[in-house]
Amino acid sequence: MHKTTLRRTFALGLVSTAVVLGGCAAVQTTDSGAIGVERTQYMSSMVSEEALQQEAAQQYSSLLSQAKAKGALDRDAAQTKRVQIISQRLIKQAGVFRPDAASWNWDVHVLSSDEVNAWCMPGGKIAVYTGLIARIKPTDDELAAVIGHEMAHALREHSREQVSQQMVTNMGLSVLSAVTGVGATADLGGALTNVMFTLPNSRTHETEADRIGVELAARAGYDPRAAVTLWQKMGALGGSSAPPEILSTHPSAASRIADLTEAANKVLPLYQQARK
């Protein structure tokens, strides 16, 4: 490479790095809880909590409309009621981690799909797939572990954290477009879709969701030790073939089971207190 070009590329790289680093601010989305989740997160000013929740609400509404049109929305009334009752008990405990979650417009539905999956979008938009219920056959305690885990992703704003990283990266890449002629656009809706349904959560995010989910379940009166049996079932379901979608990037390894066991034991007194 010519020295002038090299220097120019290096300079632009420094500018891009500065843009990325300068585009995020340190935040603490949740209180630590008894489980002790205290990692400082970094969010871009370009991705506000309100904007992402609004985008999530729109996408969620669209997904529900599509499911309803296909006859795949809350098809089994008893099954839907079960999921909603468990979810509501967990939602009542969300304030332990962030009081403002009490004002979220939480919504819970069951979607008919063979996928073994569940998710919670920003702002508390929850969906559980019938494939998970049919194939895992979870107890109420195990189902609480699933839903609590997904709620934890929303409480910690993991989607916003990932979208922030995407947005500031695009912002940095736009600097390079002056040289390459290729621009980068910031599409909040597309970024949220990628984060929710395409890109994997990091191991850090998964561990935080595991731990917070276990505490939510315990405080709601569900046995936190069920998280261990749940993820064991998930891992066994995959066998030698591809794992369930919910585990596609994070199989239930021995280290995860060990961490869940430790976390469950830590919050066991909360469960025992809730059961009195």
Side-chain angles (χ1 to χ4, degrees), residues 114-138:
D114 291 336
E115 284 187 36
V116 179
N117 205 7
W119 40 262
C120 180
M121 299 182 81
K125 308 304 183 186
I126 300 172
V128 176
Y129 290 12
T130 55
L132 185 149
I133 298 172
R135 297 178 63 189
I136 296 297
K137 295 180 173 54

Side-chain angles (χ1 to χ4, degrees), residues 31 34 39 49 53 65 72 90 150 161 169 229 233 272 275:
D31 293 331
R39 178 179 63 90
E49 178 186 356
Q53 287 191 12
S65 295
L90 294 166
E150 299 306 326
E161 193 172 12
T169 298
T229 59
K233 283 184 178 180
Q272 294 167 338
R275 296 292 292 174

Side-chain angles (χ1 to χ4, degrees), residues 91-129:
I91 289 167
K92 289 179 181 179
Q93 305 304 319
V96 170
F97 290 97
R98 52 183 303 164
D100 67 306
S103 64
W104 286 4
N105 186 21
W106 293 90
D107 202 23
V108 185
H109 291 279
V110 176
L111 304 182
S112 294
S113 170
D114 291 336
E115 284 187 36
V116 179
N117 205 7
W119 40 262
C120 180
M121 299 182 81
K125 308 304 183 186
I126 300 172
V128 176
Y129 290 12

Side-chain angles (χ1 to χ4, degrees), residues 7-204:
R7 284 195 297 269
R8 188 178 184 188
T9 302
F10 180 66
L12 284 172
L14 290 178
V15 171
S16 180
T17 300
V19 168
V20 171
L21 293 177
C24 288
V27 298
Q28 190 70 32
T29 57
T30 64
D31 293 331
S32 62
I35 204 66
V37 173
E38 298 177 337
R39 178 179 63 90
T40 298
Q41 298 167 271
Y42 293 88
M43 305 291 188
S44 170
S45 59
M46 296 186 297
V47 188
S48 71
E49 178 186 356
E50 295 76 14
L52 200 63
Q53 287 191 12
Q54 183 177 11
E55 179 62 36
Q58 293 173 352
Q59 292 194 15
Y60 187 70
S61 178
S62 178
L63 286 168
L64 294 186
S65 295
Q66 293 173 29
K68 186 175 182 179
K70 297 176 182 177
L73 179 65
D74 300 329
R75 185 181 295 172
D76 185 324
Q79 187 180 74
T80 301
K81 182 178 180 180
R82 179 192 178 205
V83 169
Q84 291 179 339
I85 287 174
I86 293 171
S87 298
Q88 288 303 321
R89 284 175 57 176
L90 294 166
I91 289 167
K92 289 179 181 179
Q93 305 304 319
V96 170
F97 290 97
R98 52 183 303 164
D100 67 306
S103 64
W104 286 4
N105 186 21
W106 293 90
D107 202 23
V108 185
H109 291 279
V110 176
L111 304 182
S112 294
S113 170
D114 291 336
E115 284 187 36
V116 179
N117 205 7
W119 40 262
C120 180
M121 299 182 81
K125 308 304 183 186
I126 300 172
V128 176
Y129 290 12
T130 55
L132 185 149
I133 298 172
R135 297 178 63 189
I136 296 297
K137 295 180 173 54
T139 64
D140 283 359
D141 294 316
E142 290 171 339
L143 192 51
V146 174
I147 299 171
H149 174 97
E150 299 306 326
M151 285 174 55
H153 281 306
L155 293 172
R156 284 291 283 172
E157 296 187 58
H158 286 155
S159 291
R160 183 180 167 210
E161 193 172 12
Q162 285 185 287
V163 169
S164 290
Q165 292 168 359
Q166 286 189 27
M167 299 287 267
V168 295
T169 298
N170 286 342
M171 184 177 174
L173 289 174
S174 67
V175 176
L176 297 180
S177 68
V179 174
T180 65
V182 178
T185 59
D187 175 11
L188 182 60
L192 177 60
T193 298
N194 285 336
V195 165
M196 285 299 307
F197 305 112
T198 304
L199 299 176
N201 284 301
S202 70
R203 290 193 178 277
T204 297

